[in-house]
Amino acid sequence: MDGSQFQSVAGIAAALAKAQVEMGPALKDSNNPAFKTKYADLSSVMAACMPALNKNGIAVIQPTGSDDAGRYVQTILIHGTT
């Protein structure tokens, strides 16, 4: 890893650490009838983390793709500095 890559990793690591301190809990407000349990759905998880991620300069993109195993969603975190 060269110096610029290390700075990039260090920058997003610091921003993620700050964001995690600010994140609230994902609310378990969805029901799973098969197991009679409650769970935090994707919308609840996104509501819990996106404001803190965005406040700390982290964007989330989720492109779809496919390979031999089938279709998938890839989560990519992008950190920009101003």
Side-chain angles (χ1 to χ4, degrees), residues 24-51:
L27 301 178
K28 293 182 179 181
D29 53 5
S30 293
N31 294 306
N32 181 338
F35 295 104
K36 297 183 175 127
T37 58
K38 295 186 89 54
Y39 68 97
D41 65 12
L42 181 58
S43 177
S44 180
V45 172
M46 296 296 281
C49 65
M50 288 305 294

Side-chain angles (χ1 to χ4, degrees), residues 2-61:
D2 68 29
S4 64
Q5 289 173 318
F6 179 77
Q7 287 176 341
S8 178
V9 170
I12 195 168
L16 280 169
K18 288 179 183 177
Q20 286 177 335
V21 169
E22 298 172 11
M23 289 179 195
L27 301 178
K28 293 182 179 181
D29 53 5
S30 293
N31 294 306
N32 181 338
F35 295 104
K36 297 183 175 127
T37 58
K38 295 186 89 54
Y39 68 97
D41 65 12
L42 181 58
S43 177
S44 180
V45 172
M46 296 296 281
C49 65
M50 288 305 294
L53 290 171
N54 294 158
K55 179 180 172 186
N56 286 283
I58 300 169
V60 180
I61 60 171

